[in-house]
Amino acid sequence: MLKKYLICAFVSMVPLIELRGGVPIAVGMGLNYPTALIVCAIANMLPVPVIYFFARKVLEWGRDKKYIGKFFTFCLEKGERGGRKLRAAAGRRGLFVALMLFVGIPLPGTGAWTGTLAASFLNMGIKSTSLAVSLGVILAGIIMGTVTMTGLHIFGL
C-alpha cells in the first residue's frame, strides 16, 4: 500500500505531469481518494520553495550555455509569458486569485511548477505564492479526482 502512495507522490512531483497525473493514478489503483489527494498535493508542493528561490537564477545562468541554453531559454520565456498573462488577467489586486486559478485549472502548461515560476517573475512573495499555489493544487486535485471517478463510473471500469 505504501508503495502505491509513493508512486503517486513521485508522479505528482514530476514537472508537467504533477498532481494531474498523480491523482488519476491513485484513483485507478484503488487508493483512498482523500488520503491520495493529500499525499499528491504535499508531494506536488515540495518543489515550490526551491522553484521560487532558485529556478529563475539557474535558468538565467544556463540560458547562454551550449547544450542547455535552448531549453533554459524556453523555460524562461514560458515563465515570463505566464507572468504577463497573470498580470494582464488580474492586475495587482487579483493576482492571488489568478495564480490560484492558473494552478488549479488542469490544463496543459499550468500547474504548481509553472505558477511558481511565474510568481517569482512577478515578485509576488513566497507566502502569498505558496498559499495561492497550495489552494490551486487542492483545486486541481479535486477536479482531477472528480473527472477520473466520473469517467470510471461512466465507462464501468
Side-chain angles (χ1 to χ4, degrees):
M1 184 67 75
L2 178 62
K3 183 179 176 183
K4 290 181 179 181
Y5 282 109
L6 287 174
I7 290 168
C8 297
F10 286 127
V11 168
S12 296
M13 292 174 69
V14 174
L16 300 175
I17 299 172
E18 300 184 30
L19 178 120
R20 290 145 177 80
V23 169
I25 289 172
V27 171
M29 285 190 213
L31 297 176
N32 178 280
Y33 172 65
T35 306
L37 177 59
I38 291 168
V39 168
C40 291
I42 290 171
N44 194 199
M45 289 299 298
L46 286 176
V48 165
V50 175
I51 295 166
Y52 185 85
F53 289 116
F54 301 111
R56 186 174 179 183
K57 292 174 182 157
V58 170
L59 291 173
E60 288 172 353
W61 167 82
R63 79 182 322 164
D64 60 349
K65 303 298 184 255
K66 184 176 181 179
Y67 297 106
I68 58 175
K70 286 183 181 180
F71 176 71
F72 279 36
T73 301
F74 166 78
C75 292
L76 275 170
E77 290 171 356
K78 184 167 181 58
E80 289 171 358
R81 276 193 312 270
R84 282 194 303 269
K85 285 181 185 177
L86 283 173
R87 172 87 65 209
R92 185 66 180 163
R93 300 184 106 207
L95 201 52
F96 180 89
V97 174
L99 179 60
M100 182 188 72
L101 292 174
F102 178 81
V103 171
I105 298 174
L107 296 171
T110 66
W113 287 66
T114 308
T116 303
L117 184 60
S120 75
F121 280 100
L122 294 170
N123 298 316
M124 264 186 75
I126 187 64
K127 288 181 184 177
S128 58
T129 297
S130 296
L131 183 58
V133 170
S134 297
L135 293 172
V137 163
I138 292 167
L139 176 62
I142 291 169
I143 292 170
M144 290 307 300
T146 303
V147 168
T148 303
M149 287 185 278
T150 302
L152 290 174
H153 180 73
I154 289 172
F155 296 111
L157 299 173

